[in-house]
Amino acid sequence: MPRHLALGNGTMLVNFDAELNMRDLYFPRVGEANHILGHRNARGVWVDGEFDWVHSASWVRSLAYEDETLVSNVSALHAGMGVRLEITDTVHHRENLFLKRINVTNLHDADREVRLFFTHDFCIDESDIGDTSLYDLATDSIMHYKRNVCFLISGLGPEEGIFQYATGTKRFGGNEGTWRDAEDGWLEGNPIAQGSVDSTISFRLYLDGGEAASLDYWIACGKDFEEARRLHRLVRREGVIKLMEETRIYWRAWLDKSPWDFKDLDEPVVQLFKRSLLIIRTQIDQDGAILAANDTDILRFNRDHYSYMWPRDGALVAYALDKAGYTELTREFFEFCRRGVSRGGYLWHKYHPDGSVGSSWHPWVCDQSPQLPIQEDETALVIWALWHHYSLTRSLEFAEAMYGQLIKPAGDFMCGYRDPVTGLPLESYDLWEERRGVFTFTASAVWAGLVAAARFARLFGDDRRARKYEKVAVEVRAGILNHLYDTAEERFVRGVSLVDGGVVPDLTLESSMYGLYGFGVLPADDPRLVRTFEAIRAGLWVPGSVGGLARYEGDYYFSRGLPGVPGNPWIICTLWLCEWMIGRAREMHELAEAKALLEWVVDRAYETGVLSEQLHPTTGEPLSVAPLTWSHSTFVSAVLKYVEAVDALEAKARLADAWDATTRST
């Protein structure tokens, strides 16, 4: 199931599902490696001889974050047992520590002993071969380790630390795991196991009738025993509450760095904007990789995941973060791209968080001829976003470092990788990574990338390249207007195929025509673009109560193929329509539809504020991965553009009022 809570600090990321199971733990890189692989790390409760897992249907659970911070606010109630849990989780903003406090309330009048159980199903370095789990008396902890990864797990109740423990074999030799040992409320105390192993620990609390007490629990992540023990000692010395409070303060300060004025936007939109920024931050590795998503539930569908850095996604996320004022964060992303650019000047399909090239399904050969296995918009959008970054920071030294190793190679590649007849880019894969051709979105991105490269060239006195990039940009734009606009349909087409010196149009309605406006090829009110968006809205809006915009006609990815439904609604695509509406507005009332689409997104988020990739077209159920970084960044971008539009319209109204006052006085 998708991840409802994401907590992280740039080197450590922890995800929880809706049933309060920890499903992912990434360390020491966000997105690499996942030491849980989606297995269930569960919580259990024993009281009065009865045991139940918190993920069972007997519990009523509520999940949320505390306002404006990366600290959870979770509760679970078991009416039959008469137990309520109030849970606070976080990953420390600086140290690689997962911290948990559970407040346990005895809802019965009688005095009772309550035992809490925690299971640990790790596959260190994404393998269950050669792991060790052991109980360490010196630290009163369970440790799991392999090579350069060590997890130290401990806790402290009102009167004592760990009550009981068990280590053992899981999913091998007929053994299910030590979680089975927990279900009678008693752990057998095996002190060490190796191979495919897990562990379970328990704590006990003695509660009077109606009384509540708290239990602290933590996981310290280190490269070896001593580093994990150092963090363990830090928790014992400072306490979970103090470390949590430090983290609250840090993230609230991080959010408050920019003085936003949200105009007439309602509070739920404002809160999702802030939540989106925080969730985006959890998906970014300290070395610059902006990960698409870290929800390993997707492994069930194709044995791969979204824990990669796609340069296109990263560039669009970086654009939104820069617009929101987080330029110091995106600088590392551009450094990552500089390190990853190929000798040919293009960026590959996707990358692992460590900078190595990721998996791909784009072939290197077609009809016995070589072809580049790339999506050219990924290269172009990084350069486009980099100019936006420079325009905000004016960091000349950083831009100069990027120029020779990233901007020039990419600019030269975009100039050379073109069809001489149409002036358009040569064929590459589309932004959805599904088909090869010459696409309007890609061509628009290449135009924007060349314009940005030309500006950088002018900035550094490279006049020859500046003229070259400017000339090619003009030719690409002319190719877009001449070959990607269909006069019979009176709208732009998704793309064309280059066949024997001619072009064959693809008339499929496609939401990514947004690129024409989003990257500046045409203004929002250009009649050709207006007709295009009107056709998109008419043909791709999902009918019924769910609503939202599909990617394109006949979309098959996670699609149910329902009659009369063009495809599943996507958060990103719906927000593209919203942004175009914002750009087209010339009066305040014309922003109403755009504002309604922002509220549509809020209504389709999880209760925690997490946004998925897409939705079921009739139930509204989130589909594919969640959280999707791109969904959150597009929401951030759309909100900021809405606020800018209101600002501009208010300024226009003030100017008109001043003019009226002047003319009346004369």
Side-chain angles (χ1 to χ4, degrees):
M1 60 176 60
R3 306 313 184 225
H4 285 62
L5 289 167
L7 304 165
N9 63 7
T11 58
M12 181 180 179
L13 172 63
V14 173
N15 292 329
F16 286 88
D17 66 19
E19 296 173 344
L20 308 188
N21 300 299
M22 184 186 290
R23 290 286 189 170
D24 308 293
L25 193 161
Y26 295 90
F27 170 82
R29 291 185 183 278
V30 175
E32 179 187 347
N34 184 358
H35 303 289
I36 296 180
L37 284 179
H39 296 299
R40 182 157 53 197
N41 282 21
R43 314 288 171 257
V45 176
W46 177 95
V47 62
D48 297 337
E50 181 184 357
F51 180 91
D52 199 17
W53 296 107
V54 177
H55 57 256
S56 83
S58 303
W59 292 84
V60 177
R61 296 170 293 267
S62 173
L63 288 80
Y65 288 96
E66 292 183 5
D67 288 345
E68 301 185 10
T69 190
L70 284 171
V71 179
S72 75
N73 180 14
V74 172
S75 66
L77 170 67
H78 195 301
M81 281 184 162
V83 174
R84 182 173 64 243
L85 308 178
E86 294 164 315
I87 306 169
T88 307
D89 301 299
T90 196
V91 169
H92 192 270
H93 68 281
R94 182 182 64 253
E95 305 286 359
N96 291 315
L97 281 167
F98 170 74
L99 305 166
K100 177 187 289 287
R101 166 156 281 207
I102 303 181
N103 190 61
V104 185
T105 302
N106 173 16
L107 299 177
H108 286 186
D109 294 333
D111 300 349
R112 308 163 85 195
E113 177 188 345
V114 179
R115 298 177 192 170
L116 300 182
F117 291 78
F118 299 80
T119 70
H120 313 113
D121 185 348
F122 293 117
C123 296
I124 297 178
D125 282 343
E126 302 188 344
S127 166
D128 60 3
I129 298 173
D131 287 8
T132 300
S133 63
L134 62 90
Y135 176 72
D136 177 33
L137 183 62
T139 56
D140 187 29
S141 70
I142 287 286
M143 287 200 286
H144 285 246
Y145 74 89
K146 182 165 65 186
R147 291 193 290 271
N148 61 343
V149 174
C150 178
F151 300 127
L152 186 156
I153 306 132
S154 189
L156 192 62
E159 300 175 6
E160 61 183 353
I162 293 174
F163 170 51
Q164 292 180 329
Y165 62 85
T167 69
T169 304
K170 67 182 181 191
R171 295 190 294 277
F172 183 76
N175 296 309
E176 295 179 89
T178 59
W179 61 271
R180 277 294 189 196
D181 191 20
E183 292 183 329
D184 62 358
W186 192 266
L187 299 173
E188 296 303 322
N190 182 46
I192 193 166
Q194 63 89 31
S196 178
V197 298
D198 73 341
S199 68
T200 301
I201 59 176
S202 69
F203 301 86
R204 61 182 175 182
L205 296 84
Y206 296 101
L207 301 175
D208 295 340
E211 186 184 15
S214 294
L215 166 71
D216 291 336
Y217 166 96
W218 58 90
I219 303 176
C221 303
K223 65 180 182 298
D224 52 30
F225 298 149
E226 186 47 43
E227 185 172 303
R229 285 171 175 155
R230 177 188 68 81
L231 292 170
H232 172 70
R233 291 192 297 270
L234 173 66
V235 180
R236 293 300 299 262
R237 183 176 67 249
E238 299 293 332
V240 165
I241 290 299
K242 181 176 184 298
L243 294 171
M244 279 188 168
E245 186 60 19
E246 290 177 1
T247 302
R248 284 189 186 92
I249 292 168
Y250 177 84
W251 289 119
R252 285 173 178 154
W254 186 83
L255 266 186
D256 286 344
K257 72 188 298 290
S258 298
W260 294 299
D261 177 359
F262 291 101
K263 303 299 180 179
D264 64 335
L265 291 175
D266 294 334
E267 187 62 19
V269 174
V270 173
Q271 289 305 312
L272 183 57
F273 173 87
K274 294 179 179 180
R275 178 58 52 204
S276 291
L277 285 170
L278 288 166
I279 289 174
I280 291 168
R281 183 63 188 90
T282 68
Q283 308 299 302
I284 302 177
D285 182 68
Q286 63 175 349
D287 288 333
I290 298 175
L291 285 306
N294 291 290
D295 170 6
T296 51
D297 197 49
I298 196 72
L299 286 168
R300 296 186 294 115
F301 298 97
N302 62 1
R303 300 309 297 162
D304 208 342
H305 48 72
Y306 279 40
S307 293
Y308 295 103
M309 195 288 285
W310 274 266
R312 168 190 48 260
D313 299 37
L316 292 167
V317 174
Y319 173 87
L321 286 172
D322 280 339
K323 201 170 184 63
Y326 294 92
T327 55
E328 74 286 349
L329 188 58
T330 61
R331 182 175 178 139
E332 295 301 321
F333 164 74
F334 295 115
E335 287 280 9
F336 184 103
C337 294
R338 178 188 61 78
R339 296 191 298 269
V341 70
S342 72
R343 289 182 62 187
Y346 52 84
L347 288 161
W348 294 97
H349 179 179
K350 50 191 167 82
Y351 295 80
H352 293 285
D354 65 3
S356 57
V357 177
S359 63
S360 180
W361 50 89
H362 297 337
W364 291 36
V365 62
C366 180
D367 297 329
Q368 302 306 309
S369 297
Q371 68 177 20
L372 283 181
I374 65 167
Q375 302 153 49
E376 193 182 355
D377 65 289
E378 298 203 280
T379 301
L381 289 179
V382 168
I383 308 306
W384 165 79
L386 183 53
W387 178 259
H388 178 249
H389 176 86
Y390 171 75
S391 70
L392 295 171
T393 64
R394 296 297 172 181
S395 177
L396 196 62
E397 295 83 359
F398 177 68
E400 187 176 35
M402 294 290 106
Y403 186 64
Q405 298 181 49
L406 175 60
I407 299 166
K408 281 200 301 188
D412 291 347
F413 168 74
M414 289 186 285
C415 285
Y417 194 67
R418 286 194 311 134
D419 174 54
V421 176
T422 63
L424 292 168
L426 288 174
E427 293 182 325
S428 68
Y429 286 88
D430 68 346
L431 79 160
W432 310 124
E433 311 174 304
E434 295 174 345
R435 57 193 59 81
R436 192 171 177 85
V438 181
F439 301 99
T440 300
F441 182 92
T442 302
S444 300
V446 169
W447 175 81
L450 285 166
V451 169
R455 289 170 174 166
F456 278 117
R458 290 286 181 201
L459 183 67
F460 296 114
D462 191 350
D463 291 339
R464 182 184 64 82
R465 271 197 171 83
R467 289 192 296 272
K468 173 184 174 183
Y469 296 160
E470 288 163 352
K471 177 177 179 293
V472 174
V474 168
E475 293 170 358
V476 170
R477 187 174 185 273
I480 292 171
L481 301 181
N482 292 332
H483 300 289
L484 293 172
Y485 183 79
D486 189 281
T487 54
E489 294 286 329
E490 293 189 313
R491 64 173 174 85
F492 285 94
V493 299
R494 172 159 72 180
V496 296
S497 298
L498 303 178
V499 180
D500 298 328
V503 296
V504 178
D506 179 350
L507 299 177
T508 306
L509 278 174
E510 164 75 60
S511 64
S512 69
M513 296 304 97
Y514 160 82
L516 290 160
Y517 163 67
F519 309 139
V521 177
L522 290 172
D525 57 359
D526 183 280
R528 293 163 294 186
L529 199 56
V530 171
R531 288 192 293 269
T532 300
F533 267 98
E534 287 174 346
I536 288 169
R537 181 161 50 173
L540 296 183
W541 189 262
V542 175
S545 60
V546 174
L549 203 70
R551 286 196 300 173
Y552 55 80
E553 289 177 302
D555 186 3
Y556 64 89
Y557 186 53
F558 280 93
S559 179
R560 304 306 195 262
L562 300 174
V565 177
N568 296 337
W570 280 52
I571 302 292
I572 296 160
C573 305
T574 306
L575 287 169
W576 282 345
L577 177 62
C578 173
E579 287 194 20
W580 172 73
M581 290 175 172
I582 292 168
R584 192 186 177 194
R586 295 295 176 265
E587 302 291 341
M588 286 293 295
H589 70 272
E590 294 175 338
L591 286 171
E593 283 188 283
K595 184 180 179 184
L597 289 181
L598 294 176
E599 293 164 352
W600 177 91
V601 175
V602 172
D603 291 342
R604 276 135 188 93
Y606 282 113
E607 59 182 326
T608 57
V610 163
L611 294 175
S612 62
E613 179 184 73
Q614 51 184 295
L615 307 167
H616 190 287
T618 59
T619 68
E621 173 196 0
L623 297 174
S624 190
V625 294
L628 184 74
T629 313
W630 193 3
S631 291
H632 284 282
S633 70
T634 311
F635 186 77
V636 167
S637 178
V639 167
L640 292 174
K641 289 179 179 179
Y642 179 91
V643 168
E644 287 176 352
V646 174
D647 258 336
L649 291 173
E650 287 177 344
K652 176 184 171 184
R654 287 194 299 271
L655 185 61
D657 289 344
W659 176 257
D660 288 345
T662 301
T663 54
R664 284 196 300 270
S665 65
T666 57

